[in-house]
């Protein structure tokens, strides 16, 4: 009899713990999402968006030409998310993106996926662009940017659910006049030896005479672009982020590191073969070399920097 009472007490206690955990989880979600209504609590409320300056004459002309079509409304924000086999996290990523502001669209570029990523993204409220081939992160961003209709374009990844409160600063920066809003993330600069990708980002910014940006780069998410920046850079260039970064800086665009998100710690660990080459690092290195080649072709062999007192012609 005593054993039966102990068992009853144990299961009752376990049931109470489960109920308490469920209640805590429900309270955490309540402020962001009301069950059954999709009524989000927006980080950038409509009142704040009403204070944004009017679009320029050129954009207003486009809006006028677009009127009368079935899809004439141009949202304030387009969130572009490339995704490949990310059904486990894509729902949370989309829901956070939808919380930024009411006047937005979320574009998930599902490429090369063999799981249910597209269905989960669609159920979460995203528009899905689907490709059977694997485009890669940067190819997905190019496709998404070309399809985006927003005044602000925000880029993030499908495997890192970043809270809307940490995505909104990039959008606000663009609305306040910045053209390229970067993650103020330098990478693990204190590690010895410094990772070659981190080194490449710092070197590129120094070459562009923007050491103030340190390791901030369009290679890292999240980052945002104005519609003007996209027109200067071109959507195709987004496939090579360091090149897009170099074109933005040399093109006179306002490029700033606006908010810190520690994506290095948040990014899921990728298993690589022991002793094998780091193919991703090599890819990013080559992208930086492409950017440097473009700079020297455009600004001269020294990238526009002075040769000081050297008179090289006298030595020939």
């Amino acid at each position: 009899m005593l054993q039966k009472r102990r068992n009853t007490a144990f299961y009752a206690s376990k049931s109470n713990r489960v109920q308490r955990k469920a209640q805590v989880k429900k309270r955490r979600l309540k402020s962001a999402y009301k069950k059954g209504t999709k009524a989000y609590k927006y980080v950038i409320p409509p009142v704040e968006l009403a204070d944004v300056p009017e679009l320029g004459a050129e954009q207003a002309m486009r809006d006028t030409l677009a009127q009368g079509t079935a899809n004439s409304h141009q949202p304030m924000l387009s969130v572009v998310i490339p995704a490949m086999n990310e059904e486990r996290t894509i729902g949370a990523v989309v829901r956070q993106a939808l919380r930024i502001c009411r006047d937005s669209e979320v574009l998930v570029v599902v490429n090369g996926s063999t799981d249910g990523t597209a269905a989960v993204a669609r159920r979460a409220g995203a528009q899905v662009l689907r490709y059977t081939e694997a485009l890669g992160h940067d190819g997905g961003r190019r496709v998404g940017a070309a399809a985006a209709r927003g005044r602000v374009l925000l880029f993030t990844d499908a495997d890192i659910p970043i809270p809307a409160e940490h995505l909104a600063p990039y959008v606000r920066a663009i609305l306040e006049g910045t053209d390229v809003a970067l993650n103020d993330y330098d990478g693990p600069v204190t590690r010895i030896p410094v990772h070659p990708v981190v080194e490449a980002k710092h070197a590129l910014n120094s070459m562009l005479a923007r050491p103030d940006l340190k390791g901030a780069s369009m290679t890292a998410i999240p980052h945002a672009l104005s519609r003007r920046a996209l027109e200067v850079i071109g959507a195709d260039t987004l496939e090579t982020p360091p090149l897009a970064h170099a074109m933005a800086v040399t093109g006179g665009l306002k490029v700033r590191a606006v908010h810190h998100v520690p994506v290095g710690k948040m990014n899921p660990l990728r298993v690589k073969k022991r002793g094998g080459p780091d193919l991703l690092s090599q890819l990013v290195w080559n992208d930086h070399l492409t950017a440097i080649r473009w700079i020297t072709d455009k600004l001269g062999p020294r990238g526009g920097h002075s040769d000081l007192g050297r008179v090289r012609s006298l030595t020939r």
Side-chain angles (χ1 to χ4, degrees):
M1 185 68 178
L2 182 59
Q3 183 64 33
K4 185 176 180 181
R5 288 179 178 174
R6 286 177 178 172
N7 289 341
T8 302
F10 171 78
Y11 285 113
S13 175
K14 184 177 180 181
S15 176
N16 289 336
R17 287 199 302 271
V18 171
Q19 289 178 1
R20 283 197 296 271
K21 286 183 179 179
Q23 289 172 353
V24 170
K25 185 176 181 181
K26 187 176 180 179
R27 283 198 295 270
R28 287 175 180 171
L29 293 174
K30 188 175 180 181
S31 64
Y33 182 74
K34 295 181 181 178
K35 186 177 179 181
T37 63
K38 286 191 176 180
Y40 290 92
K41 180 180 178 181
Y42 297 103
V43 178
I44 305 179
V47 175
E48 187 174 333
L49 290 176
D51 297 331
V52 174
E54 293 294 325
L55 296 173
E58 183 180 352
Q59 185 64 51
M61 178 72 73
R62 290 181 189 166
D63 291 345
T64 302
L65 294 173
Q67 289 177 358
T69 65
N71 201 19
S72 61
H73 174 66
Q74 291 185 304
M76 178 66 70
L77 171 65
S78 295
V79 184
V80 177
I81 310 169
M84 177 180 173
N85 293 336
E86 301 290 357
E87 65 177 354
R88 187 178 62 85
T89 54
I90 188 61
V93 173
V94 170
R95 285 189 289 273
Q96 290 298 331
L98 287 169
R99 285 186 54 226
I100 299 171
C101 69
R102 184 187 299 277
D103 190 16
S104 66
E105 62 178 3
V106 176
L107 306 175
V108 176
V109 184
V110 180
N111 59 101
S113 283
T114 56
D115 66 359
T117 299
V120 174
R122 196 174 285 112
R123 284 199 300 270
Q127 300 176 39
V128 174
L129 307 176
R130 197 165 188 175
Y131 294 81
T132 56
E133 304 85 1
L135 306 176
H137 286 83
D138 302 323
R141 291 186 191 114
R142 177 185 66 80
V143 168
R149 298 174 295 123
R151 179 179 177 184
V152 180
L153 285 79
L154 175 69
F155 300 88
T156 189
D157 283 349
D159 58 347
I160 308 178
I162 300 173
E165 289 78 7
H166 289 285
L167 295 173
Y170 302 93
V171 179
R172 284 197 178 100
I174 300 297
L175 295 176
E176 291 169 0
T178 298
D179 291 304
V180 181
L182 301 174
N183 185 355
D184 190 11
Y185 175 71
D186 294 335
V189 292
T190 58
R191 185 180 299 170
I192 300 175
V194 178
H195 194 282
V197 169
V198 174
E199 206 168 26
K201 292 177 181 179
H202 283 259
L204 180 61
N205 282 328
S206 292
M207 189 172 188
L208 292 168
R210 289 296 307 271
D212 58 296
L213 293 177
K214 299 180 181 179
S217 167
M218 287 180 66
T219 302
I221 56 94
H223 60 266
L225 302 177
S226 67
R227 176 60 59 176
R228 173 173 174 254
L230 184 64
E231 291 172 355
V232 170
I233 296 170
D236 290 348
T237 312
L238 297 180
E239 283 193 297
T240 310
L243 175 59
H245 181 88
M247 291 180 69
V249 172
T250 59
L253 296 176
K254 188 174 182 181
V255 181
R256 293 176 52 227
V258 301
H259 183 68
H260 177 75
V261 177
V263 288
K265 296 179 179 179
M266 300 168 70
N267 203 17
L269 291 175
R270 305 295 183 184
V271 178
K272 68 175 183 178
K273 294 181 180 179
R274 179 176 293 182
D278 187 346
L279 298 180
L280 180 58
S281 292
Q282 291 180 3
L283 174 69
V284 178
W285 251 106
N286 287 330
D287 284 350
H288 280 80
L289 291 175
T290 299
I292 291 171
R293 175 63 182 273
W294 180 87
I295 293 170
T296 56
D297 285 347
K298 182 177 178 62
L299 302 178
R302 297 185 61 81
H305 294 276
S306 169
D307 207 8
L308 298 180
R310 296 174 183 160
V311 185
R312 296 178 185 268
S313 60
L314 296 179
T315 62
R316 295 191 179 99

